[in-house]
Amino acid sequence: MLPPETGPKMIFRVFSFFYFLSRPLLKWLLHRFTNLCELQRICYGCPPGATRTKKVQMSLELSRRLPIKKLLHILNELVSNDVEDTFLRREIQTRAIGTVLQVKKINPKVHIDFPRSFGTCAERIWGYKRMYFMVEKLRATQYDCEEPEHEAKLMMLWKLLVGDEMTLTGRITDQWQHIGFQGDDPSTDFRGMGVLGLDNLLFLAQNYNGTARHLLSHSHHPKHGYFFAIVGINLTSMAYHLLKSGAARTHFYNHPQHHLTVDTFHQFYCYLFYEFDRYWVECKPKNIMDFNHIQRRFEENILKLLANDGCYFKMNLSVEDV
């Protein structure tokens, strides 16, 4: 008898094997009966957002047509290079729509809604990939104490969170522990997530300053407190891995902003920080040693929500004091 964990996995693998084996025949039969290609059926039959975009993406990635494969290669290369965003968006729209219309022999005068619907999906698919490329660049950039921009951002973070309540006595000081760094020099805490960890914290403090200060006050709770900055960097890691794995596609494909940017990722991070703080307070941990366990449960909850194609995380800025 199969162990409980391997049974469902085996069934899924068998189903997937037969589905991909019979997929070309199914596509041919549906095309014959509907006179529509698979991409048209998806764009006309699926609701907009993650449901439609994910299926369009899978259809493109499974395509055996050489022009489609070439299209994917070109666009994947484009989003992974330092090109101007306006040029990139225009290339995504014109190349993706033009190639698909030609390969699938779709008359845009007859199927008026298809180019717009498919184009929106294409913009989300490669917008997500572009956003990941930009986020990865920040993560790979290590904090440099000799870089004035990095130092200026760190000082701005202190000023936004602490204000005039406390003045730094120096660059290397245990005062940094007040906002949740581990030691006297915050630069050592950014090693894992690079400048991305700092940029996330700074975005939260700049754009949701009241919320950031409330979260900082929660972190100072005598019994249920935590290290604000360290937790923030851990949540940067969580947000980054959700983005990299593709699990976060649901949220971003449902995002009302079609043009995804690094700021869109920062907003996602802010949501996670706010919700984690709320979850932490609800769990009432005995001490900071409960952090790994609580974060793991929190991430599992987020993944369950992201498994629903209707998922979209919206910031709710009302934060209660502990």
Side-chain angles (χ1 to χ4, degrees):
M1 183 177 176
L2 290 173
E5 295 81 14
T6 58
K9 289 183 180 178
M10 182 64 70
I11 293 170
F12 177 75
R13 287 176 182 173
V14 171
F15 174 80
S16 299
F17 173 76
F18 282 108
Y19 170 74
F20 289 115
L21 196 66
S22 59
R23 189 171 180 274
L25 177 61
L26 289 172
K27 285 178 63 180
W28 181 82
L29 288 171
L30 288 169
H31 189 274
R32 289 280 301 206
F33 282 114
T34 64
N35 204 30
L36 298 172
C37 72
E38 183 178 51
L39 288 172
Q40 286 174 294
R41 295 194 300 273
I42 293 170
C43 288
Y44 296 155
C46 294
T51 303
R52 181 185 296 172
T53 308
K54 283 183 180 181
K55 289 188 177 182
V56 165
Q57 184 173 1
M58 185 172 74
S59 178
L60 291 172
E61 291 175 350
L62 292 176
S63 177
R64 299 179 180 181
R65 305 293 292 272
L66 288 178
I68 299 292
K69 289 184 175 182
K70 184 178 179 181
L71 168 71
L72 300 189
H73 176 74
I74 291 171
L75 293 183
N76 287 341
E77 285 290 314
L78 273 176
V79 298
S80 301
N81 285 284
D82 291 316
V83 295
E84 204 270 326
D85 272 1
T86 304
F87 168 78
L88 178 63
R89 293 175 67 189
R90 185 169 62 248
E91 283 292 293
I92 291 171
Q93 286 282 334
T94 55
R95 282 185 181 272
I97 295 172
T99 300
V100 167
L101 290 179
Q102 183 179 20
V103 171
K104 302 296 183 180
K105 296 181 173 59
I106 300 170
N107 186 343
K109 293 181 180 179
V110 176
H111 299 280
I112 300 171
D113 294 331
F114 177 77
R116 177 185 53 80
S117 176
F118 173 74
T120 299
C121 292
E123 187 172 358
R124 288 187 183 278
I125 291 166
W126 278 281
Y128 183 93
K129 293 184 179 186
R130 174 67 170 182
M131 181 173 61
Y132 169 70
F133 169 73
M134 300 301 290
V135 166
E136 174 59 27
K137 278 184 66 177
L138 291 173
R139 189 204 64 82
T141 302
Q142 288 300 304
Y143 186 95
D144 184 357
C145 297
E146 302 299 320
E147 174 56 58
E149 184 183 358
H150 295 179
E151 289 287 285
K153 286 181 177 181
L154 183 59
M155 293 303 172
M156 180 60 71
L157 178 65
W158 172 271
K159 184 177 180 181
L160 288 167
L161 290 175
V162 181
D164 298 326
E165 297 172 19
M166 186 188 304
T167 303
L168 278 174
T169 58
R171 169 63 180 77
I172 307 298
T173 169
D174 62 3
Q175 288 176 298
W176 289 109
Q177 295 171 31
H178 178 73
I179 60 172
F181 288 102
Q182 290 186 106
D184 297 348
D185 185 1
S187 65
T188 59
D189 293 327
F190 293 120
R191 287 172 183 165
M193 286 289 110
V195 174
L196 180 63
L198 174 58
D199 282 1
N200 272 168
L201 286 167
L202 187 58
F203 185 91
L204 173 65
Q206 284 179 324
N207 293 273
Y208 305 104
N209 187 255
T211 299
R213 284 172 172 261
H214 272 294
L215 300 183
L216 181 61
S217 70
H218 285 188
S219 75
H220 290 157
H221 191 276
K223 187 175 181 181
H224 307 307
Y226 56 84
F227 296 107
F228 177 86
I230 295 301
V231 167
I233 294 168
N234 273 276
L235 291 171
T236 292
S237 176
M238 176 181 162
Y240 167 77
H241 285 102
L242 289 172
L243 182 72
K244 183 179 180 180
S245 69
R249 288 185 307 161
T250 311
H251 165 74
F252 290 108
Y253 285 176
N254 285 326
H255 202 286
Q257 181 181 324
H258 286 190
H259 180 47
L260 302 177
T261 66
V262 173
D263 280 358
T264 321
F265 175 78
H266 289 327
Q267 289 165 353
F268 175 59
Y269 164 84
C270 291
Y271 172 86
L272 292 178
F273 204 149
Y274 170 77
E275 288 297 323
F276 176 79
D277 175 81
R278 190 159 65 92
Y279 187 66
W280 176 270
V281 171
E282 287 176 358
C283 289
K284 297 195 181 302
K286 296 177 182 177
N287 51 55
I288 194 63
M289 299 303 292
D290 288 342
F291 174 76
N292 288 336
H293 174 64
I294 290 175
Q295 187 193 20
R296 186 164 55 250
R297 280 164 47 193
F298 174 71
E299 186 168 359
E300 288 170 358
N301 292 341
I302 292 294
L303 284 168
K304 286 177 183 176
L305 292 172
L306 288 169
N308 180 350
D309 277 348
C311 174
Y312 167 62
F313 298 132
K314 188 176 181 181
M315 278 287 284
N316 176 4
L317 298 182
S318 61
V319 183
E320 297 294 333
D321 289 325
V322 180

